[in-house]
Amino acid sequence: MYTHPKIERFNEEVLSKYHMYNSVFITLPFDSIDNTGVLLPLFTDGCESGFKKQETPKEIVNFFTQKYMQGASETDKIDLMFRFIQYIERQIVLFDAIEDAAFPIVNNMEGRGSLRDIKEKAGAKDREAELIEFLENFNVRTVLTAHPTQFYPGPVLGIINDLTDAIRKNNLLDIKQLLAQLGKTPFIQNEKPNPFDEAVSLIWYLENVFYETSGEIVHYLQKNIFRGSSIQNQLIKLGFWPGGDRDGNPFVTTEITLKVADRLRNSILKCYYLEMRNLKRKLTFFEVDVLVAELENKLYRSVYYSQGEIYITLDEFKSQLNKIKTILIERNQSLYLDEVEALLIKVNLFGFHFASLDIRQNSKIHDAVFKDVVDFYLKSNSNVFPNDYFELSENKKIEILSNLKGNLDSNVFENEITKSTIESIQTIKYIQKNNGEFGANRYIISNNESALNVMETFALFKLNNWENLSVDIIPLFESVDDLQSAHLIMEKLYTNPAYAEHLTNRNNKQTIMLGFSDGTKDGGYLMANWSIYKAKEELTAMSRKYGIKAIFFDGRGGPPARGGGKTHKFYASLGPKIENNEIQVTVQGQTISSNFGTLDSCRYNLENLLSAGATNQVFNKVKNELSEKEKGILDQLAELGYQKYLNFKNHPKFIPYLEQMSTLKYYAKTNIGSRPSKRSKSATLDFADLRAIPFVGSWSQLKQNVPGFFGVGSALKHFEDNDQWDKVQNLYNNSLFFRTLLENSMMSLAKSFFPLTAYMKKDPEFGSFWQIIYDEFLETKRLLLKIAGHKELMENYPDGKASIDIRERIVLPLLTIQQYALLKISELNKEENPNLDLIKTYEKIVTRSLFGNTNASRNSA
C-alpha cells in the first residue's frame, strides 16, 4: 500500500483537522462578549498584512481598533487584548493535541531510527552479535528537570491528554465539550509552584508514559533480538532533578528532597501494585495464585498504609516473580509468561527508586560552605586542617582534602546554606537506605572550574563519615574556558590516589557533565558546540589513558541555542574518539511534553536515542571521524563566530537592550517555576548571574533567536570572502556533526521574525544595535541556504517547517499585542505623571503573552 510523503500526512492529519476543529472552537462563547472568536481571525490577517507593509505593532493595533471597534475606550481595547490572549493560548493547546494525536501517522514509527530498523539493518549486514554486545553495555538516561519552560498548569495538561485521545478517535462531541472546558479553565497559576509541586507534575510523565514505554522497548529487544534471553543491562535509566537541584533555588530544602524521594518510591510501587492486581485475574493456577496474592497484598500495604514503611524488599519481589515465572514454564505451558516477563523487565529498570534523584549545587556555594567548615574545625582546635589552609596552593589543598575523615553535625552551623549542603549529603545516604543506591547516587557540581571544586565536594562526603562512597561526583563544565581545560582538571583527579581509589570502587567510571545552555550564552553557538565536541574528545583520551570509562551527561535545553533540535543526530555523528557507551541528557519543560508527552512520541524519541548509539558504535564506526584538516576548519569557524559574538556581547547596549526592549524582567513575574530567574539578588543585571533560560527565552520572545545563529553567518562569510568556500561546503557534505549543527541553526532562523521589531531600527538609542542583529541574521540565512543548496529554510524537513509556520501564525497576534504593550509601557513611563495603574495593566499583558508564545514554540527556552 502506498504511503503518502510525510508532508502530505501532516497536511491531512494535522493541518486540515486544525482548521476544522478551530472553526468549532472560535464559535464557542467563553465570555459575555461572544464576538472575540470572530474578531481574532480578522486581527491575525491585519497583523500579517500590516507587517508586510512595514507597519509597527502600535500602528497595526490602532488601525484594527479604529476599523472594528469604533469609539472604543482604552479599557475596551485592553479587554479585547486579554480576550485575544485567552483564545490564542487555547488555540495552541488545540494544535498541540492534534499534533500529538497524529504523531504515529505523521512519523513512521517503524522507519529509520526505530528498533525494527536497527534489527533489520543488523540482520542485513550480519551484525546481530555486535548489536547484542552493544545493547548489553549501552544506556540511555533521560533526566527530567524542573527548569521553567512549560507554562501549562496541571488541569490544562489533563485536558490536552483527553483532547488528544478524543481527536485520535474523531469524537466530535467529546472534542466540543473539551474545547468548551478548555475555554473556562484558567491558564495561569496565582502562586509559584514549590519544588515538590514541580516533582509531582513530572512524576505524572514517569507513571503514565516512561513506565510503559521503557518496559515495552526492552521487552521488544528481549523477544526479537535477544531471542527470549533476559537483558541484564539497565538499558533505559531515568533521572530526576526536581527536589534535588539546589543550584540557585533556595526553595529546595532537605524536607523537600526527602518528600520527593518518598513520592518517587511510592509511585513506582503503585505502578507495580496495579500490574500485580491485573495479573491476579489471569494467574489463577495452583501455587501461583498464592504467590501473586501475597505480592499484591505486600505492595498494597507499602503504597497505601506504609507511613514510609515498606513491607517487601526489592530482592524478595524479584525472587517471587522469578519463582512465578518458573512455575508457569514448568507446569502451566508458559501461559501469561509474557506479562510476567514484562513486569520483571520494569522491576529491573526502575527498582524501588523509579528515577535517580540527582543532587546539584554550584561550586561558588561550595566555596562558601567549605570556608565555613574549615573555620569550624580551626575554631574547635582540631588538627583536621592546618591554620594556613586558605593560603596554601591548590595542589597542597587537594593533598589535605584527600585524607580527611570526620563526622560533621549540620546543626553546629548557623549559616543556612552550609547547614542544608551538609544535610543534602546525609540525605543521599538516607534515600539510598530506603530506595536503593539508585535512589540518589549522583552529586553534580555546576560551574565547576577546577579539580579543587571536585575534591572539596569529595571531602565533604568523607567529613560526613562516608567511607565506601556509593555516590558519583559529577563536575559540570559550562564556560568556554572551563571546557577547554576540562581534560587537565580530570587528569589531576585521575592521578590523585584517594580519588582514583574512589573511582575503582565505582567500576572505573566517571560521569562528566557538559553544559550546552551556559556554553552558548558564554561563547556563542559555534564555539559552544565545537568546544563541547573537542572537550569530549580530549576527556575521552585522558580518561582512556588512565583506564577510566568517561560517561558524558549533556545539559541540553529545548532550542538549538541550548543544545536542542535534532539531538539524536548529534549522538549519531560522534566519532570513535568520543566515548559513547551512554547517552545522558537533560529533558525539560516543553521538551518533556512535546518529545516524551505521549506513549507514541516517547517511544519514538527513546528509540531514536538508542538507534543513534547503535548507528555510531555498530554500523558507522569510522565514517563519522573528523580529519585533522576538518577539525582545523571547525576551529577557525568557531573562533570567527566567537569573536563576532564576543564583540556583540561586549557592546555597551547589549544588557540595556535586553533589560529595556525585551521581556527579560517579566520572566520573574511568571509563576511557572520555583527557581528565581537569576542567581544573585542584586538589583542590577550582571550577565554572569543571568540564567540561560530567560536569556534564550527573551530573544525568542523578540523573535530574534540570537543565541541560535549569531556569529554563524560571519564565520561562513570569511571563507566565502577568501575564496575558500569549497572547504566549508565539503565539510557540510561530509560531516554529519557539522551538517546537524547548521540545520539546527536553520531552525533558529525559521523561528525568527524581524518585521515584528523592525520599528526598533528607528529608535535613537537602540536602532544601530537592532541593525547589527538583523544584518547577522540576513547573512546567516543567505549562507546557510547557500551551503545547504536550499531555496528556503528547513526545506528538507517540510513537516517540521509546516508545523513551525502554523504555530508562528497562531502566535503572531500574541507577539503583536506583546510588542504593543511594551511600547505603551515605554511611552507611559516617559510621561511627566505616569499612570501607574495603566502601566501595571500593560505589564500584565506582557507577562500573560509570554505563556502562549513559549508554549507555541515547544522548544523556545
Side-chain angles (χ1 to χ4, degrees), residues 11 64 99 134 145 336 345 358 438 585 663 737 751 858:
N11 289 337
F64 177 82
E99 271 205 318
F134 161 76
T145 78
Y336 297 122
I345 285 167
D358 289 349
F438 293 121
V585 60
T663 57
F737 168 77
K751 291 185 175 185
R858 279 206 158 182

Side-chain angles (χ1 to χ4, degrees), residues 731-744:
L731 183 62
Y732 180 86
N733 294 340
N734 298 327
S735 166
L736 179 60
F737 168 77
F738 186 56
R739 193 160 61 250
T740 304
L741 193 63
L742 295 194
E743 283 181 353
N744 279 343

